[in-house]
Amino acid sequence: MTQQTTKAKRVEGTGQAPGFVSDYLLYLLAAASDAASAQFHTKVRKAGLRVPEWRVLACLADTDGAMITQLARRALAEQSRLTRIIGQMEDRGLLIRRSDPADGRRVRVYLTDAGRALTAELVPQAQKHEAALMEMLQGNVGAQLKPALKSLLAVLEAQEDWQG
Amino acid sequence: MTQQTTKAKRVEGTGQAPGFVSDYLLYLLAAASDAASAQFHTKVRKAGLRVPEWRVLACLADTDGAMITQLARRALAEQSRLTRIIGQMEDRGLLIRRSDPADGRRVRVYLTDAGRALTAELVPQAQKHEAALMEMLQGNVGAQLKPALKSLLAVLEAQEDWQG
DNA sequence: ACAAACAATATGATTTTTCATATAGTTTCG
DNA sequence: CGAAACTATATGAAAAATCATATTGTTTGT
């Protein structure tokens, strides 16, 4: 059937052999995330941003004036890294930092006009890309994926709250 | 059809405000992957491994004697990084490298007994962890998640073959 | 058989990331 | 009030990742 004779012809794609890995949930999640993001992240880089920077912009589009710590969680980056990234973005004039008058430890981050403009360009691109992806998935899969991921996230966040 | 007068429900934990990000597929994938992996990756580190190292072991458990490039794809790491990681793992005696007699450019990687022992310890832990996760998901969600991710991956890999 | 084109891995140099901890501001409570 | 205990952000030093390219081996076309 799929016999390929002596020279074991190169397998396609990841060269996925059946086995533990290719059915392992954590692998599927990481691989799907990686692969799905790859294309869009290319556009992000062409816009002169690194991935976490784009994430920061997207988060600020949702909640301008967020704190560093919040941004770190939402952008899936560590706090010390986020601090530096914010610093660089500030230098580039994409955002500004202002300490919260109500609590001096907090630093709130706001988009500048330049930052807002860039965001206004990228978010629609992201949405378009997402729509294209969703369209490629067979009907029910497309419909199930996001809710399933949200459930998973909900379960995991609930766990965090108890365990630590 | 898929239109859902976006009434986005508030989410806990991340302090997720409804908005673009929390319903964005690429975010959901990355966040779910991150959160789901976090717990197990803690165990991995306690076993003295970094995440990509664990991934290499898992891949080798499936296909001992894989090439560096294959391992890089499967372990979701870049080739030059993988090369160095393999080097370190070899130094630690977890695996050995042998150049392929049929094609001298290729380097095939094999588990040592020590590597195999460690793998034999971790893979079952991973499976147990996965099972626990799956059990926490509501019936149909648990059943849908993996197939949905596999479809997504299949679609994305098909695309790569044309475009990239 | 040979030169170009290609493929797999390695490596130097630079940039990022991480880890631990410093610094600064705030709350708790005796 | 004032001393812990805490919380938010920053930062130095070390580890790791990335990029471009070198090196080595193989295939192809003439």
Side-chain angles (χ1 to χ4, degrees):
Chain A
M1 321 178 97
T2 327
Q3 283 280 35
Q4 210 92 71
T5 65
T6 41
K7 284 214 170 159
K9 173 79 158 103
R10 248 168 102 26
V11 197
E12 303 301 312
T14 324
Q16 214 55 269
F20 164 63
V21 171
S22 44
D23 193 54
Y24 178 46
L25 181 60
L26 298 199
Y27 165 76
L28 292 171
L29 282 166
S33 177
D34 255 49
S37 302
Q39 314 166 54
F40 186 66
H41 287 174
T42 296
K43 292 188 189 176
V44 168
R45 284 186 214 94
K46 279 180 187 154
L49 293 173
R50 284 168 305 171
V51 173
E53 292 174 332
W54 144 244
R55 286 180 173 158
V56 165
L57 290 185
C59 289
L60 290 176
D62 279 1
T63 349
D64 201 35
M67 303 166 38
I68 302 263
T69 307
Q70 294 175 336
L71 287 172
R73 290 205 70 153
R74 292 187 190 147
L76 309 173
E78 259 192 318
Q79 179 266 313
S80 73
R81 178 138 92 102
L82 227 296
T83 290
R84 292 191 232 252
I85 286 172
I86 294 291
Q88 294 162 351
M89 293 177 79
E90 186 169 36
D91 292 347
R92 288 178 54 188
L94 296 173
L95 46 79
I96 58 171
R97 225 189 271 242
R98 267 173 27 213
S99 107
D100 186 331
D103 182 339
R105 293 166 299 182
R106 299 180 172 179
V107 170
R108 300 211 167 264
V109 180
Y110 301 87
L111 286 172
T112 59
D113 288 347
R116 202 177 310 281
L118 190 45
T119 307
E121 204 174 300
L122 282 170
V123 169
Q125 273 193 258
Q127 288 169 323
K128 190 179 148 212
H129 173 255
E130 176 183 33
L133 259 184
M134 293 297 279
E135 212 163 289
M136 296 182 133
L137 295 173
Q138 308 288 0
N140 48 335
V141 169
Q144 291 167 356
L145 190 52
K146 280 203 202 177
L149 290 170
K150 287 182 190 174
S151 298
L152 177 55
L153 268 174
V155 164
L156 292 168
E157 278 170 11
Q159 265 188 246
E160 273 176 19
D161 288 349
W162 308 148
Q163 313 189 340
Chain B
M1 255 326 207
T2 327
Q3 300 246 329
Q4 257 191 324
T5 328
T6 318
K7 214 39 168 238
K9 198 174 44 171
R10 38 171 308 97
V11 187
E12 304 299 313
T14 327
Q16 216 52 273
F20 164 63
V21 171
S22 44
D23 192 55
Y24 178 45
L25 180 61
L26 298 198
Y27 165 76
L28 292 172
L29 282 165
S33 177
D34 255 49
S37 302
Q39 314 166 54
F40 186 66
H41 287 175
T42 296
K43 292 188 190 175
V44 167
R45 283 186 214 91
K46 279 179 188 156
L49 293 173
R50 285 168 304 171
V51 172
E53 292 174 332
W54 145 243
R55 285 180 173 157
V56 165
L57 290 185
C59 289
L60 290 176
D62 279 3
T63 350
D64 201 34
M67 303 167 37
I68 302 262
T69 307
Q70 294 175 336
L71 288 172
R73 291 207 70 154
R74 293 187 190 147
L76 309 173
E78 260 193 315
Q79 179 265 314
S80 74
R81 179 138 91 100
L82 227 296
T83 290
R84 291 190 232 255
I85 286 172
I86 294 293
Q88 295 162 350
M89 293 178 79
E90 186 170 35
D91 292 346
R92 288 179 53 188
L94 295 173
L95 46 79
I96 57 171
R97 236 188 261 242
R98 265 173 27 211
S99 104
D100 185 330
D103 182 340
R105 294 166 299 182
R106 299 180 172 178
V107 170
R108 300 211 166 264
V109 179
Y110 301 88
L111 287 172
T112 59
D113 288 348
R116 202 177 310 281
L118 189 47
T119 307
E121 204 174 300
L122 282 170
V123 170
Q125 274 192 258
Q127 287 170 324
K128 191 179 148 212
H129 173 254
E130 176 184 32
L133 259 184
M134 294 297 280
E135 212 163 289
M136 296 181 135
L137 295 173
Q138 310 287 359
N140 49 335
V141 168
Q144 291 166 357
L145 190 53
K146 279 202 201 178
L149 291 170
K150 286 181 190 176
S151 298
L152 176 55
L153 267 175
V155 165
L156 292 168
E157 275 169 14
Q159 264 188 245
E160 272 176 19
D161 287 349
W162 309 147
Q163 318 188 335

